[in-house]
Short mmCIF file of all heavy atoms in Angstrom, two decimals:
data_model
loop_
_atom_site.label_atom_id
_atom_site.label_comp_id
_atom_site.label_asym_id
_atom_site.label_seq_id
_atom_site.Cartn_x
_atom_site.Cartn_y
_atom_site.Cartn_z
N GLY U 96 46.02 6.48 25.14
CA GLY U 96 45.74 7.66 24.27
C GLY U 96 46.67 7.80 23.20
O GLY U 96 46.35 7.71 22.04
N PRO U 97 47.99 7.92 23.47
CA PRO U 97 48.97 8.07 22.49
C PRO U 97 49.10 6.85 21.52
O PRO U 97 49.33 6.98 20.23
CB PRO U 97 50.35 8.28 23.21
CG PRO U 97 49.85 8.84 24.48
CD PRO U 97 48.55 8.23 24.88
N VAL U 98 48.94 5.70 22.03
CA VAL U 98 48.93 4.46 21.26
C VAL U 98 47.82 4.50 20.13
O VAL U 98 48.02 4.28 19.02
CB VAL U 98 48.85 3.17 22.07
CG1 VAL U 98 48.61 1.92 21.16
CG2 VAL U 98 50.04 2.96 22.95
N LEU U 99 46.59 4.80 20.63
CA LEU U 99 45.43 4.91 19.79
C LEU U 99 45.59 6.07 18.74
O LEU U 99 45.46 5.78 17.56
CB LEU U 99 44.20 5.19 20.59
CG LEU U 99 42.87 5.37 19.79
CD1 LEU U 99 42.52 4.20 18.86
CD2 LEU U 99 41.77 5.82 20.76
N VAL U 100 45.93 7.27 19.16
CA VAL U 100 45.93 8.36 18.27
C VAL U 100 47.23 8.23 17.27
O VAL U 100 47.06 8.51 16.11
CB VAL U 100 46.14 9.67 19.11
CG1 VAL U 100 46.39 10.83 18.17
CG2 VAL U 100 44.88 9.95 19.93
N LEU U 101 48.34 7.98 17.76
CA LEU U 101 49.57 7.86 16.83
C LEU U 101 49.38 6.64 15.93
O LEU U 101 49.72 6.73 14.80
CB LEU U 101 50.81 7.73 17.64
CG LEU U 101 51.13 8.95 18.56
CD1 LEU U 101 52.38 8.74 19.33
CD2 LEU U 101 51.22 10.22 17.69
N GLY U 102 48.78 5.58 16.43
CA GLY U 102 48.49 4.39 15.49
C GLY U 102 47.55 4.78 14.40
O GLY U 102 47.70 4.39 13.27
N ALA U 103 46.56 5.63 14.85
CA ALA U 103 45.49 5.93 13.80
C ALA U 103 46.06 6.84 12.71
O ALA U 103 45.89 6.63 11.53
CB ALA U 103 44.40 6.62 14.54
N ILE U 104 46.82 7.91 13.08
CA ILE U 104 47.44 8.75 12.11
C ILE U 104 48.49 8.05 11.30
O ILE U 104 48.55 8.35 10.05
CB ILE U 104 48.01 10.08 12.77
CG1 ILE U 104 49.22 9.75 13.55
CG2 ILE U 104 46.96 10.82 13.52
CD1 ILE U 104 50.02 11.08 13.93
N ALA U 105 49.20 7.08 11.88
CA ALA U 105 50.16 6.36 11.07
C ALA U 105 49.39 5.46 10.05
O ALA U 105 49.79 5.35 8.90
CB ALA U 105 50.98 5.49 11.96
N GLY U 106 48.26 4.93 10.38
CA GLY U 106 47.34 4.14 9.48
C GLY U 106 46.83 4.93 8.39
O GLY U 106 46.87 4.57 7.23
N LEU U 107 46.32 6.16 8.73
CA LEU U 107 45.83 7.06 7.71
C LEU U 107 46.95 7.49 6.72
O LEU U 107 46.64 7.52 5.56
CB LEU U 107 45.20 8.32 8.31
CG LEU U 107 43.83 8.13 9.03
CD1 LEU U 107 43.34 9.30 9.82
CD2 LEU U 107 42.69 7.63 8.07
N TRP U 108 48.01 7.79 7.27
CA TRP U 108 49.13 8.21 6.40
C TRP U 108 49.65 7.15 5.44
O TRP U 108 49.78 7.34 4.21
CB TRP U 108 50.37 8.75 7.25
CG TRP U 108 51.53 8.89 6.37
CD1 TRP U 108 52.60 7.98 6.18
CD2 TRP U 108 51.86 10.12 5.65
NE1 TRP U 108 53.57 8.57 5.31
CE2 TRP U 108 53.14 9.83 4.99
CE3 TRP U 108 51.23 11.27 5.37
CZ2 TRP U 108 53.70 10.76 4.08
CZ3 TRP U 108 51.81 12.26 4.48
CH2 TRP U 108 53.03 11.96 3.99
N PHE U 109 49.69 5.95 5.98
CA PHE U 109 50.08 4.79 5.17
C PHE U 109 49.11 4.49 4.00
O PHE U 109 49.53 4.37 2.87
CB PHE U 109 50.25 3.59 6.01
CG PHE U 109 50.85 2.35 5.25
CD1 PHE U 109 52.18 2.15 5.25
CD2 PHE U 109 49.94 1.45 4.59
CE1 PHE U 109 52.68 1.05 4.54
CE2 PHE U 109 50.49 0.42 3.95
CZ PHE U 109 51.84 0.17 3.85
N ILE U 110 47.80 4.60 4.34
CA ILE U 110 46.82 4.23 3.36
C ILE U 110 46.80 5.35 2.30
O ILE U 110 46.75 5.03 1.10
CB ILE U 110 45.35 4.14 3.98
CG1 ILE U 110 45.41 2.71 4.85
CG2 ILE U 110 44.35 4.10 3.05
CD1 ILE U 110 44.10 2.63 5.76
N ARG U 111 46.92 6.65 2.62
CA ARG U 111 46.82 7.70 1.69
C ARG U 111 48.08 7.68 0.85
O ARG U 111 47.97 7.92 -0.37
CB ARG U 111 46.73 9.13 2.44
CG ARG U 111 46.90 10.34 1.55
CD ARG U 111 45.80 10.32 0.48
NE ARG U 111 45.93 11.49 -0.39
CZ ARG U 111 46.66 11.39 -1.59
NH1 ARG U 111 47.30 10.29 -1.93
NH2 ARG U 111 46.75 12.40 -2.39
N ASP U 112 49.26 7.53 1.43
CA ASP U 112 50.51 7.46 0.79
C ASP U 112 50.69 6.29 -0.15
O ASP U 112 51.19 6.50 -1.28
CB ASP U 112 51.69 7.67 1.77
CG ASP U 112 52.98 7.90 1.10
OD1 ASP U 112 53.11 8.86 0.28
OD2 ASP U 112 53.87 7.03 1.24
N ARG U 113 50.33 5.15 0.29
CA ARG U 113 50.65 3.89 -0.41
C ARG U 113 49.50 3.39 -1.34
O ARG U 113 49.77 2.78 -2.38
CB ARG U 113 51.04 2.78 0.51
CG ARG U 113 52.29 3.10 1.44
CD ARG U 113 53.52 3.19 0.50
NE ARG U 113 54.69 3.44 1.35
CZ ARG U 113 55.39 2.58 1.93
NH1 ARG U 113 55.10 1.30 1.80
NH2 ARG U 113 56.47 2.99 2.72
N LEU U 114 48.31 3.63 -0.88
CA LEU U 114 47.01 2.99 -1.59
C LEU U 114 46.36 4.15 -2.33
O LEU U 114 45.52 3.80 -3.28
CB LEU U 114 46.18 2.32 -0.58
CG LEU U 114 46.85 1.23 0.22
CD1 LEU U 114 45.76 0.50 1.06
CD2 LEU U 114 47.55 0.28 -0.57
N GLY U 115 46.42 5.31 -1.99
CA GLY U 115 45.84 6.43 -2.81
C GLY U 115 44.81 7.09 -2.11
O GLY U 115 44.25 6.70 -1.00
N VAL U 116 44.28 8.24 -2.67
CA VAL U 116 43.29 9.16 -2.04
C VAL U 116 41.91 8.41 -1.92
O VAL U 116 41.17 8.60 -0.97
CB VAL U 116 43.20 10.40 -2.78
CG1 VAL U 116 42.70 10.20 -4.27
CG2 VAL U 116 42.29 11.37 -2.13
N THR U 117 41.58 7.64 -2.98
CA THR U 117 40.35 6.97 -2.93
C THR U 117 40.17 5.89 -1.78
O THR U 117 39.16 5.70 -1.13
CB THR U 117 39.92 6.28 -4.25
OG1 THR U 117 40.11 7.23 -5.33
CG2 THR U 117 38.50 5.82 -4.34
N ALA U 118 41.34 5.23 -1.59
CA ALA U 118 41.44 4.25 -0.45
C ALA U 118 41.34 5.00 0.86
O ALA U 118 40.62 4.45 1.79
CB ALA U 118 42.74 3.50 -0.53
N ALA U 119 41.81 6.15 0.98
CA ALA U 119 41.74 6.95 2.18
C ALA U 119 40.24 7.39 2.40
O ALA U 119 39.77 7.38 3.50
CB ALA U 119 42.66 8.13 2.25
#
Side-chain angles (χ1 to χ4, degrees):
V98 171
L99 174 62
V100 174
L101 297 179
I104 68 167
L107 287 172
W108 170 263
F109 186 90
I110 290 173
R111 173 62 182 91
D112 186 59
R113 300 294 180 87
L114 305 184
V116 64
T117 311

